[in-house]
Amino acid sequence: MSLQQAPQSRVFVELVPWAGRGQENSLVSGGDTLPGFRRPLPAAQAQNATREVHVSGTAEVSVSPDRAQVTVRINSTKEAAAEVKKSVCRRLDYITQSLQLQGLQAENVTVTKDFRRVENAYHMEAEVCITFTEFGKMQNICNFLVEKLDSSVIISQPQFYHTPGSIENLRRQACLVAVENARRKAQEVCNLVGQTLGKPLLIKEEETKEWEGQTDDHQASRLLSSLTVQQKIKSATIHASSKVFVNFEVKGKEKKKKHL
C-alpha cells in the first residue's frame, strides 16, 4: 500500500524594518508573548527607516626598527698622563674623522671622555656613541673600524630601536586598515543582496594589541649576540593589530531614469 505524498508548500518571507528595536518579544492576543516575533512598521514609516549593516574588521601590521645605535670604546693605561691622553685622542680623532668622511651628521655622534688615576698609572677611556638611520652604512663603517683599529678598540653590537613617531604611525595604520577591511566586507554584503552601501553611522575600535619580535620560542631563547644583523632587525620588529566594529547605512539600488 503506497502512501500519498503531501502537496508541497511554499513559504514567503519579507524583510522589513521592525518597530521597537531591541524588543525581543511582542504581545499577541490574550496578553501572551511570542518570542522572536516583532510587528513590522507601517509602509510609510518603513520607507523612512534607516537600514543598517553591522560588520567587524581586523588588521595586523608591522614596522621594522628605524634606528640603530653602536658604541665604540677606546681605553689606555700608562704611567705618564700625557702619553695616555695622546694614545686615546689619536685613535679617537681617527674614528670621528672616518665618520665625517662617511657622511654622518654631528648630531648623530656623541663623544664622552673619562680620565682617572689607577694606582701608579693613569687610565683614560673614550666612548663614541653613533646613531644610524641607514643599516647598510652602519655595517660598512663597523667593518672598516674593526679592520683599521687594534684590539684595544671595542665595537658593540648594534642596538635596534624605534622612534616614538614610528610607533604612533604603526598604531594609526593598524586601525585604518581594519576600518578599510570592514568597509570592503560591508560593500560585498550589500552587493550580494542588491543594495547600496551608505555612510558609516558608527566606528568603534574594540581591541588593540602590540608585540615585539619573533613568536618562535627557539629563536627567542637564543643569545642576542649570536644573531645576525637581519635576525636582530626581525627580533626588534614591532607588530600591532586592531579590531573595529563599524555600522553602515544601507540604501536601496537607485533606478536608472529612462531618457526619451
Side-chain angles (χ1 to χ4, degrees):
M1 180 177 178
S2 60
L3 297 176
Q4 272 190 328
Q5 293 185 352
Q8 294 183 349
S9 60
R10 295 182 180 180
V11 179
F12 295 90
V13 179
E14 182 181 7
L15 300 178
V16 296
W18 295 101
R21 176 183 296 181
Q23 298 178 1
E24 294 299 329
N25 300 317
S26 297
L27 291 175
V28 296
S29 59
D32 297 327
T33 60
L34 182 61
F37 177 80
R38 299 179 185 176
R39 292 178 293 103
L41 286 171
Q45 295 183 30
Q47 291 180 356
N48 297 326
T50 302
R51 294 180 298 170
E52 304 171 1
V53 57
H54 300 183
V55 293
S56 63
T58 59
E60 180 182 318
V61 295
S62 62
V63 62
S64 300
D66 56 351
R67 295 289 188 277
Q69 193 172 78
V70 174
T71 302
V72 181
R73 294 184 178 88
I74 313 163
N75 64 82
S76 179
T77 303
K78 295 183 181 295
E79 293 182 358
E83 288 297 321
V84 73
K85 288 181 179 180
K86 181 179 178 181
S87 175
V88 171
C89 290
R90 176 175 52 84
R91 288 172 289 175
L92 181 60
D93 291 342
Y94 180 81
I95 293 172
T96 54
Q97 289 175 9
S98 298
L99 296 177
Q100 290 176 1
L101 292 175
Q102 292 291 336
L104 263 74
Q105 301 297 321
E107 58 266 23
N108 292 327
V109 180
T110 304
V111 178
T112 57
K113 300 177 183 178
D114 178 52
F115 183 79
R116 61 182 182 273
R117 189 174 186 122
V118 181
E119 297 180 353
N120 295 325
Y122 293 92
H123 179 81
M124 183 174 180
E125 183 172 335
E127 185 177 275
V128 183
C129 187
I130 315 165
T131 300
F132 293 94
T133 57
E134 300 177 37
F135 300 155
K137 179 181 288 188
M138 174 196 71
Q139 288 182 280
N140 293 335
I141 291 177
C142 290
N143 293 340
F144 175 80
L145 294 178
V146 169
E147 179 184 354
K148 297 298 182 180
L149 300 173
D150 57 32
S151 58
S152 64
V153 178
I154 301 173
I155 302 176
S156 71
Q157 294 291 326
Q159 303 294 321
F160 296 96
Y161 65 96
H162 297 77
T163 54
S166 174
I167 302 299
E168 288 300 322
N169 184 61
L170 178 71
R171 293 167 181 160
R172 288 194 298 269
Q173 186 182 6
C175 181
L176 292 176
V177 175
V179 172
E180 175 61 22
N181 290 339
R183 189 196 66 80
R184 289 180 179 177
K185 184 190 294 185
Q187 182 68 67
E188 292 177 2
V189 170
C190 287
N191 292 342
L192 182 65
V193 296
Q195 301 296 305
T196 301
L197 185 66
K199 63 184 179 182
L201 303 175
L202 172 68
I203 301 176
K204 180 181 179 183
E205 189 172 34
E206 296 184 321
E207 183 181 275
T208 59
K209 291 182 181 179
E210 290 180 25
W211 65 97
E212 184 181 26
Q214 304 174 10
T215 56
D216 189 347
D217 293 336
H218 177 69
Q219 286 282 5
S221 64
R222 296 178 60 183
L223 294 175
L224 185 63
S225 59
S226 65
L227 299 178
T228 66
V229 171
Q230 291 301 321
Q231 288 173 330
K232 289 176 182 177
I233 292 175
K234 190 174 182 180
S235 179
T237 296
I238 293 182
H239 304 262
S241 66
S242 175
K243 180 180 180 181
V244 298
F245 172 82
V246 188
N247 184 5
F248 289 95
E249 181 184 11
V250 176
K251 299 180 179 180
K253 286 285 186 180
E254 296 182 358
K255 296 181 180 180
K256 297 182 179 180
K257 296 181 180 180
K258 295 182 179 180
H259 297 281
L260 298 177

